Amino acid sequence: MIIVQKYGGTSVADLDRIRNVANRVKATRDAGNQVVVVVSARAGVTNRLVDDAKALLPHPDSREMDMLLSIGEQETIALTAMALHALGVPAVSRTGAQVGIRTDQEFTKARIVQIDGGDIKQQLDDGKVVIVAGFQGVAPSGDVTTLGRGGSDLSAIAIAKAVGADVCQILTDVDGVYTADPRVVKDARKLDEISYDEMLELASLGSKVMQARSVEFAKKHGVVFEVRNSMNNNPGTIVKEEVASMEDVVVRGVAVDKNQTKVVILGLNDQPGTAARIFTALSQANVNVDMIVQNVGRDGVANLTFTVPADDAFKAEKAVENIRDVLGPKLKVMTDRVAKVSVVGIGMRSHSGVAAELFTAFAKAGVNIQLISTSEIKISVAVDVDKADEAMRVAHAAFSL
Ligand code: ASP
Ligand code: MG
């Protein structure tokens, strides 16, 4: 079998952990498998590089940023190869470009447009373990790009697809995907399986187990994968296409994202085209907007509220300020940090009353709801950051997860 194993930052944090990875890879290979390893930067390295860059200037050039950030993974591939050599296992490291991870030109959040795998297959057939740098690709210009924070997950799934892997494992510092963050919710449970759509919602809602874009890619290309612990041999969580029985569970999990900013725009001209202008400006600035609430206009003025990832708040504010002339003479923009708490489950499609149950539970606990948004399989509520953990516990208990 061809097995792709992806090890995250905490699993390669220091030399002992890297030796642990090498031992696991050796065991997998000794069992008769061909192994491709995808690694992240060592825990904290990418953040440290970001901090260094921002200490020099607040908004560094994104091409230079990728040149910088890509080195974290390159350190890990070489060290992992050496750790395998120390065990007598033939292994070779490869950069993203070397395995043909071709992306667009969007530095810091590049999209994969094509991946051919380079010489991975040949190296495997020669008996080697191939260790690939996650998180990075190469733009048409030849420049190194990165795939967005947490992008090593995407690298692993894309490589699993490219080499036609039989198994793709995402090895991390938890046993799998939980019904809620076990550090916050004491009785959170590990799930044996979850559908792509639920995982996608949980990932994009900030339950940080995996990068959302990697789940999107897995769904699109039908790559089944398992999230499991790199420090033990417990079975993990299988992420796959949904099967009918999954609908029996109404709420699969609860997630919280504390990194949201609420942008409130007051004094907008109440006329056709205003919202179009704002959201066009935001999309041109590459800002992902999430919850949107527009109030009923009065006396020719309207208010609009939306949420964006906190990192994009500066860009969002600037984009709106830039077109203030066409938006209204009394325009006022305010921002405020919020947390988004969400309940997710494909069973919501066929069960009613989930919103009522959730809001009642929040009311009893005295959690104030600032904004609400829903989709077919989720309900999200923006709350005070201070109330986020409590809101998560309340929601978890309300659906007896
Ligand atoms: N090192 C990158 C990050 O910290 C990519 C990854 O870990 O997946 O975001
Ligand atoms: Mg990661």
Side-chain angles (χ1 to χ4, degrees):
M1 285 207 296
I2 301 182
I3 301 188
V4 172
Q5 294 186 330
K6 182 260 172 180
Y7 291 91
T10 47
S11 305
V12 293
D14 54 35
L15 296 184
D16 278 342
R17 296 275 174 94
I18 290 177
R19 287 190 190 101
N20 169 60
V21 167
N23 281 316
R24 293 182 72 109
V25 170
K26 180 177 190 298
T28 310
R29 182 173 175 273
D30 288 350
N33 301 299
Q34 295 186 316
V35 193
V36 182
V37 182
V38 178
V39 287
S40 292
R42 299 158 79 185
V45 168
T46 311
N47 285 341
R48 203 196 68 227
L49 295 171
V50 170
D51 290 347
D52 282 354
K54 292 195 170 166
L56 291 172
L57 83 171
H59 302 286
D61 178 78
S62 51
R63 177 190 176 275
E64 301 308 331
M65 202 63 187
D66 279 358
M67 190 63 98
L68 179 69
L69 296 189
S70 59
I71 68 171
E73 274 69 16
Q74 277 171 230
E75 175 188 41
T76 324
I77 51 172
L79 291 171
T80 307
M82 292 170 193
L84 280 160
H85 295 165
L87 297 176
V89 178
V92 63
S93 63
R94 290 284 182 262
T95 63
Q98 284 176 325
V99 294
I101 302 186
R102 306 197 176 282
T103 72
D104 59 19
Q105 199 74 33
E106 273 296 321
F107 295 110
T108 76
K109 45 174 140 173
R111 289 193 161 269
I112 295 179
V113 292
Q114 199 207 325
I115 161 164
D116 61 31
D119 67 347
I120 292 180
K121 287 267 200 158
Q122 193 188 317
Q123 296 295 340
L124 292 176
D125 288 342
D126 286 351
K128 286 187 196 142
V129 171
V130 184
I131 301 144
V132 181
F135 185 46
Q136 53 174 256
V138 58
S141 60
D143 290 308
V144 62
T145 50
T146 64
L147 310 176
R149 293 306 304 271
S152 299
D153 293 330
L154 177 56
S155 308
I157 306 249
I159 283 166
K161 163 80 187 157
V163 302
D166 302 286
V167 174
C168 178
Q169 298 175 332
I170 305 293
L171 292 126
T172 179
D173 53 356
V174 290
D175 277 3
V177 183
Y178 282 73
T179 51
D181 184 343
R183 284 164 305 187
V184 179
V185 181
K186 287 279 161 317
D187 47 1
R189 273 184 311 107
K190 193 211 74 184
L191 297 161
D192 293 332
E193 58 174 23
I194 185 171
S195 71
Y196 289 126
D197 285 334
E198 290 166 327
M199 183 67 186
L200 196 53
E201 291 288 2
L202 290 176
S204 59
L205 295 173
S207 77
K208 286 193 212 89
V209 182
M210 271 184 87
Q211 189 208 34
R213 282 170 61 179
S214 63
V215 183
E216 220 168 62
F217 190 99
K219 181 186 176 191
K220 188 164 159 205
H221 298 281
V223 179
V224 175
F225 61 92
E226 181 183 13
V227 179
R228 58 189 297 162
N229 201 321
S230 69
M231 301 304 285
N232 63 40
N233 285 312
N234 298 343
T237 304
I238 306 280
V239 186
K240 60 177 193 187
E241 197 56 60
E242 70 182 77
V243 291
S245 65
M246 285 181 172
E247 284 220 22
D248 298 344
V249 178
V250 183
V251 173
R252 182 89 49 199
V254 183
V256 62
D257 182 350
K258 295 180 186 171
N259 264 317
Q260 293 277 312
T261 294
K262 179 174 79 171
V263 181
V264 181
I265 311 176
L266 304 174
L268 285 168
N269 289 334
D270 189 14
Q271 64 192 33
T274 303
R277 285 207 181 87
I278 293 175
F279 291 104
T280 303
L282 291 168
S283 100
Q284 279 164 355
N286 243 311
V287 174
N288 287 326
V289 177
D290 183 26
M291 305 169 140
I292 303 173
V293 177
Q294 157 116 38
N295 296 64
V296 181
R298 272 185 66 190
D299 306 326
V301 238
N303 305 332
L304 179 73
T305 304
F306 56 85
T307 60
V308 298
D311 284 346
D312 283 350
F314 173 82
K315 275 199 289 182
E317 227 181 316
K318 221 169 81 178
V320 175
E321 291 287 358
N322 279 343
I323 53 164
R324 95 169 1 253
D325 288 352
V326 296
L327 296 181
K330 291 193 191 126
L331 185 88
K332 195 168 168 221
V333 186
M334 295 179 304
T335 59
D336 192 15
R337 283 295 274 271
V338 290
K340 183 171 71 169
V341 178
S342 312
V343 297
V344 173
I346 51 178
M348 281 188 213
R349 286 188 203 128
S350 46
H351 294 77
S352 55
V354 181
E357 241 173 283
L358 180 67
F359 300 159
T360 304
F362 280 173
K364 278 190 193 143
V367 175
N368 192 38
I369 299 172
Q370 298 189 22
L371 298 164
I372 300 167
S373 78
T374 62
S375 81
E376 220 190 355
I377 66 163
K378 105 180 157 190
I379 301 171
S380 297
V381 174
V383 301
D384 227 49
V385 180
D386 298 342
K387 289 276 185 184
D389 288 348
E390 193 191 340
M392 176 142 97
R393 284 190 284 265
V394 166
H396 196 266
F399 298 100
S400 32
L401 287 171

